[in-house]
Amino acid sequence: MRVLFAGTPEVAVPSLRAVLGSRHEVIAVLTRPDAPAGRGRRLTPSPVAEVAAEAGIEILRPLKPRDPEFLERLGELAPDCAPIVAYGGLIPKTALDVPKHGWVNLHFSLLPAWRGAAPVQHAVLAGDDITGACTFQLEEGLDTGPVYGTVTEAVHPTDTSGDLLHRLSLSGAELLVRTLDGIEDGALSPQPQPADGVSLAPKLTVDDAHVDWTAPAMRVDRVVRGCTPAPGAWTTFRGERLKLRPVALERGRDGLAPGEIVVEKSGVRVGTGSHAVVLGEVQPQGKKAMPAADWARGLRLEPGERLGA
């Protein structure tokens, strides 16, 4: 088939590369406009745009996919199908209706669970044991379209959202190509999503990433892992923000108040609403990330000092 590929961030790159290596022809790529990045805040192409440029493929960067210039060009291209992965914008019905086989969305959850912008993060936050990815027919509703196929993925106890999303981006890319093959062959027809089991996964905010030390240790662990790498879990110490990397759960001896810090040879322990956790890397405000033990050595802690106080 002649396809228009839509996507923007790094997580969409494996899918674009997989489609480029398939029997289908990528005639153009739709991505978000160049955005400021780095210390110099220079306008930088999206990861998907960079791969498309390497492959010599036409790149479409409308401010919004309802822009008349984009819709006109889409009509001229007349793709058979439009695979879409983490594009970052709503596709209007006028564009949805152009490809003969519609738009096929690769979504990183097992729909109808975790509809929305942050399915992997919410799966980690919720403590799901199993998640996955699915391909479905894009429609105007929020991730409500009928499903073509799925792959499953175990959520490991130490997985961050970044770890899990990386694995799903690879297995999902294979699923997307198999879906396109099945659509062209006439072997696949999408099936409606179940009415039960719907859950929503809105984008996480900075406030969502603020660690509450009065919560149980398991909740603290999930918040930190679910918000790594973005938006980045954090707490405060001596009035300044302290970013947190994944922690280790510790059972047994405790006796620490929520947020209370104890520095030992085995590591930096912090009290929670249940039992202590051991800090991994931390990043003080204006500094680089470092092991918690290195951070703690220069503190001269006062007895009873706490994180989040």
Side-chain angles (χ1 to χ4, degrees), residues 270-291:
V270 181
T272 73
S274 57
H275 51 274
V277 297
V278 180
L279 298 183
E281 284 192 335
V282 300
Q283 185 176 358
Q285 195 167 312
K287 297 182 180 180
K288 294 182 179 180
M290 64 185 76

Side-chain angles (χ1 to χ4, degrees), residues 118-133:
V120 174
Q121 290 91 331
H122 281 272
V124 175
L125 286 171
D128 290 355
D129 295 320
I130 298 291
T131 186

Side-chain angles (χ1 to χ4, degrees), residues 32-33 61-65 67 87:
R32 300 294 295 160
R61 299 181 176 92
L63 286 176
K64 295 181 179 179
D67 289 354
Y87 165 62

Side-chain angles (χ1 to χ4, degrees), residues 51-191:
V51 173
E54 291 171 6
I57 296 168
E58 179 181 354
I59 304 171
L60 307 175
R61 299 181 176 92
L63 286 176
K64 295 181 179 179
R66 61 179 67 254
D67 289 354
E69 295 83 358
F70 166 69
L71 294 174
E72 181 180 357
R73 183 59 184 145
L74 179 63
E76 292 169 351
L77 289 167
D80 297 314
C81 190
I84 178 169
V85 185
Y87 165 62
L90 294 176
I91 307 299
K93 190 173 190 308
T94 47
L96 291 175
D97 292 340
V98 173
K100 178 172 60 175
H101 295 290
W103 295 63
V104 178
N105 195 170
L106 173 63
H107 182 78
F108 298 113
S109 81
L110 299 175
L111 291 171
W114 304 128
R115 292 174 177 170
V120 174
Q121 290 91 331
H122 281 272
V124 175
L125 286 171
D128 290 355
D129 295 320
I130 298 291
T131 186
C134 64
T135 48
F136 72 94
Q137 188 85 45
L138 195 65
E139 56 183 32
E140 289 186 281
L142 177 64
D143 301 333
T144 56
V147 173
Y148 283 105
T150 63
V151 290
T152 58
E153 181 73 39
V155 183
H156 302 152
T158 59
D159 271 340
T160 66
S161 291
D163 297 331
L164 186 54
L165 190 55
H166 173 69
R167 297 202 304 273
L168 287 170
S169 73
L170 300 179
S171 59
E174 297 177 4
L175 172 66
L176 181 61
V177 170
R178 292 199 304 271
T179 299
L180 295 177
D181 291 348
I183 290 172
E184 183 184 36
D185 295 341
L188 274 183
S189 59
Q191 301 301 309

